[in-house]
């Protein structure tokens, strides 16, 4: 689920996996694998860095909705 949300956010903002990796200061391989859904449970520090780089909350990034 995180990969789909991440893809959508990046597409809307015109951000490539490479650019995200630079903004979040994570390896391109990590960013690309998460976006492609190859990593089912990414490390929380990577997820936090990506959320910060994209200026979204963790809830938004992982698709969590509050009632």
């Amino acid at each position: 689920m995180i990969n789909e949300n991440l893809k959508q956010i990046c597409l809307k903002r015109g951000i490539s996996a490479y650019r995200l990796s630079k903004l979040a200061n994570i390896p391109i391989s990590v960013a690309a694998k998460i976006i492609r859904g190859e990593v089912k449970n990414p490390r929380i520090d990577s997820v936090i860095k990506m959320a910060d780089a994209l200026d979204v909350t963790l809830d938004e990034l992982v698709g969590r909705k509050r009632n």
Side-chain angles (χ1 to χ4, degrees):
M1 179 186 297
I2 188 172
N3 70 310
E4 289 301 322
N5 293 334
L6 192 53
K7 273 188 223 179
Q8 291 303 315
I9 293 167
C10 287
L11 278 174
K12 285 180 187 175
R13 297 179 183 192
I15 297 174
S16 66
Y18 176 78
R19 181 74 180 133
L20 178 60
S21 74
K22 294 301 177 193
L23 291 170
N25 196 29
I26 60 175
I28 179 63
S29 60
V30 171
K33 286 179 182 178
I34 293 171
I35 290 171
R36 288 192 305 259
E38 293 176 15
V39 177
K40 299 300 180 197
N41 293 304
R43 291 177 44 169
I44 189 66
D45 62 319
S46 296
V47 176
I48 290 170
K49 287 179 180 182
M50 290 187 296
D52 288 347
L54 294 168
D55 195 31
V56 297
T57 66
L58 287 174
D59 283 345
E60 289 173 286
L61 191 57
V62 300
R64 181 175 171 213
K65 306 243 191 275
R66 293 201 152 210
N67 294 335

